[in-house]
Amino acid sequence: MLRHSSCGFVGKLCRSVVFVLLLFVVLSSRVFPACSAGQVDQRALHFRVLGREFRCVMLWLWCCSLAEQSLQIGDRVTGHDKPPCESMELFEPCSTWVLAGPCCAMSGDSDCTRTSPSAGSPSDTEFAPARPKYVCSLSPDLVTKAREELQEKPEWRLRDVQALRDMVCKDYPSLGTCLDDAFLLRFLRARKFDYDRALQLLVNYHSCRRSWPEVFSNLRPSAVKPVLESGFVTVLPCRDPEGRHVVCIRPDRWSPSQYPITENIRAIYLTLEKLIQAEETQVNGIVILADYKGVSLSKASHFGPFVAKKVIGILQDGFPIRIKAVNIINEPRIFKGIFAIIKPFLKEKIANRFFLHGCDLNSLHQNIPPMILPEEYGGTAGKLDISAWNELLLASEEDFLHDFSHLVLPCESLPQEMLVFL
């Protein structure tokens, strides 16, 4: 049975801070040699400013450590002490599982036989209806872009989808996933049609959902309506010049006393699920705009190491979407120190797509043109309106219920042989 300790993440953060402090002490002795009496005040002021920033970072880490200990105690009490998703190694090869029956026919023209992971005998196997036929909705320009950037060849598209389907059926017959062409195509595009990486992404997608029931149980738009109405997350009505949707996140709209931070994560996840349904988004990707105006240290402490590691794992390795840029504005000074510590845990490609603009709207406009931004961010697209996106997402309730019906949730519905790997 796999063992997991989220305290290791806190330990890495603490070691990083200790290293920075030691480096600061050594450099300060070299950079600031003996100075004259007239330079003493300036030197003392410099040290006071740096000391204040280091104290803020240490306070944040202390708050995160307390939150982490509380989560571990709560998990031991409720029995939910399960490791989060990290990689495809969370699943053991299917030869070690107790299987209920065949996953599906290996031919692309035959019907797929889906077996519930909780089934106990072949008599429980059900034949799913024929898969819907895939029809490409990409424009000629996007077909060309997909060919150049994603290695997608229209003449080989269905062959590639069938190859991924065969790999799932052979290696992970109890995964409990949807095998429709359009669904599998999301994962191929997200990994540039690399079969092995697409399969790993698909497995991680499911393991992440199964390992965090607080977020993924009863996941539907109506369940997060208060979050949507608060304006915490929305999507700007216009795409950027690259054809990418802009997801706007405003943490200051969240009140911790009303609902936990996991509700915010649920709303963001549903937003991404809705966006990724469009083939244009699968090819173009998305841009994130995060406004941290008014976010205090106490509110930031809710986003501790446990939550941070989960969210980073989902966005990097557990969801089939291409995040092309993350623009952060109005961030407090402490955010830069915290981000400098978290940055080593991000993949280099993702870390290089973070842009910290502070209060400089001109810097933001270099990444997102003013013509698609609302007035709140120096744009010319009028006031920020959250109602249009909320109505669209809430109207998709039945679609989500249908799409998520293919997935096995929560963890308790899995056979005992698989629980040891989640």
Side-chain angles (χ1 to χ4, degrees):
M1 183 173 182
L2 291 179
R3 299 180 61 188
H4 173 77
S5 175
S6 53
C7 291
F9 186 72
V10 179
K12 292 180 180 179
L13 293 178
C14 292
R15 287 193 294 272
S16 299
V17 172
V18 171
F19 173 78
V20 173
L21 289 173
L22 291 175
L23 183 62
F24 166 71
V25 172
V26 173
L27 291 179
S28 62
S29 62
R30 296 176 178 269
V31 176
F32 299 101
C35 56
S36 62
Q39 296 174 315
V40 172
D41 292 340
Q42 183 179 1
R43 177 179 173 181
L45 178 61
H46 180 81
F47 272 100
R48 282 199 298 271
V49 173
L50 290 179
R52 188 182 304 114
E53 293 182 357
F54 278 118
R55 285 196 298 273
C56 289
V57 173
M58 293 300 293
L59 179 59
W60 178 82
L61 290 173
W62 178 73
C63 292
C64 292
S65 178
L66 290 180
E68 187 70 19
Q69 294 175 11
S70 299
L71 285 170
Q72 291 177 341
I73 294 174
D75 287 340
R76 288 194 292 269
V77 173
T78 59
H80 289 147
D81 189 13
K82 299 181 178 68
C85 63
E86 291 181 355
S87 67
M88 194 165 68
E89 296 176 355
L90 290 170
F91 284 88
E92 191 74 3
C94 61
S95 60
T96 65
W97 297 350
V98 178
L99 302 181
C103 170
C104 65
M106 304 308 284
S107 171
D109 298 330
S110 57
D111 291 338
C112 176
T113 305
R114 292 185 66 250
T115 302
S116 170
S118 61
S121 65
S123 61
D124 296 326
T125 301
E126 297 181 358
F127 288 90
R131 293 185 296 272
K133 184 177 180 180
Y134 168 76
V135 178
C136 181
S137 61
L138 296 176
S139 66
D141 290 341
L142 285 177
V143 170
T144 302
K145 183 176 182 179
R147 181 188 294 270
E148 295 175 351
E149 296 186 8
L150 307 181
Q151 319 305 321
E152 177 178 347
K153 298 177 176 60
E155 61 273 18
W156 292 353
R157 184 187 291 128
L158 294 182
R159 183 209 66 174
D160 294 335
V161 170
Q162 182 60 40
L164 178 58
R165 182 183 296 115
D166 291 345
M167 293 174 69
V168 174
C169 294
K170 178 182 178 181
D171 299 332
Y172 299 94
S174 296
L175 188 58
T177 185
C178 174
L179 294 173
D180 292 347
D181 294 342
F183 181 78
L184 296 179
L185 194 55
R186 303 176 188 178
F187 296 87
L188 286 168
R189 284 171 171 158
R191 291 299 179 262
K192 298 184 177 181
F193 282 77
D194 183 316
Y195 295 166
D196 293 329
R197 294 176 64 225
L199 177 62
Q200 178 176 340
L201 178 62
L202 177 62
V203 174
N204 287 346
Y205 172 84
H206 286 280
S207 62
C208 287
R209 294 179 61 91
R210 291 165 177 168
S211 66
W212 206 358
E214 295 86 356
V215 170
F216 294 105
S217 295
N218 190 33
L219 186 61
R220 49 194 174 88
S222 60
V224 296
K225 189 175 180 180
V227 182
L228 298 176
E229 292 177 343
S230 71
F232 176 86
V233 60
T234 190
V235 177
L236 301 186
C238 299
R239 300 171 183 256
D240 71 359
E242 300 295 327
R244 304 173 299 197
H245 277 296
V246 179
V247 180
C248 183
I249 301 174
R250 298 181 292 173
D252 67 304
R253 297 304 180 102
W254 170 52
S255 177
S257 61
Q258 295 182 357
Y259 45 81
I261 192 173
T262 50
E263 292 300 299
N264 297 328
I265 298 172
R266 284 157 59 85
I268 294 175
Y269 193 91
L270 285 172
T271 296
L272 298 181
E273 282 280 6
K274 181 61 180 177
L275 290 175
I276 204 61
Q277 291 176 0
E279 290 194 281
E280 294 180 49
T281 302
Q282 297 171 23
V283 174
N284 292 327
I286 64 168
V287 172
I288 295 177
L289 172 60
D291 181 4
Y292 279 86
K293 182 179 181 180
V295 176
S296 62
L297 181 62
S298 61
K299 183 177 291 188
S301 65
H302 289 270
F303 193 75
F306 176 81
V307 176
K309 187 176 183 182
K310 287 276 195 178
V311 172
I312 291 174
I314 292 174
L315 295 180
Q316 287 192 147
D317 302 307
F319 195 84
I321 200 165
R322 305 176 69 202
I323 301 177
K324 306 302 291 184
V326 180
N327 295 276
I328 299 175
I329 62 173
N330 298 321
E331 70 274 12
R333 293 188 63 180
I334 187 178
F335 184 88
K336 294 183 179 180
I338 295 173
F339 180 73
I341 298 173
I342 297 178
K343 188 175 181 179
F345 300 95
L346 297 172
K347 292 182 178 179
E348 182 179 2
K349 182 175 67 174
I350 297 295
N352 292 337
R353 293 176 179 175
F354 274 75
F355 302 94
L356 307 183
H357 302 287
C359 299
D360 188 356
L361 293 180
N362 291 328
S363 176
L364 173 64
H365 295 165
Q366 293 178 5
N367 289 33
I368 305 178
M371 63 181 179
I372 71 169
L373 286 172
E375 296 176 0
E376 290 85 343
Y377 304 119
T380 59
K383 294 287 186 180
L384 179 59
D385 180 18
I386 66 173
S387 60
W389 176 253
N390 289 352
E391 292 174 3
L392 177 63
L393 194 60
L394 291 170
S396 305
E397 183 95 0
E398 294 299 325
D399 295 337
F400 280 111
L401 292 177
H402 174 267
D403 293 344
F404 292 164
S405 66
H406 296 88
L407 311 180
V408 180
L409 284 174
C411 290
E412 286 74 8
S413 62
L414 297 177
Q416 189 65 29
E417 290 82 357
M418 288 182 63
L419 288 178
V420 296
F421 305 110
L422 296 180

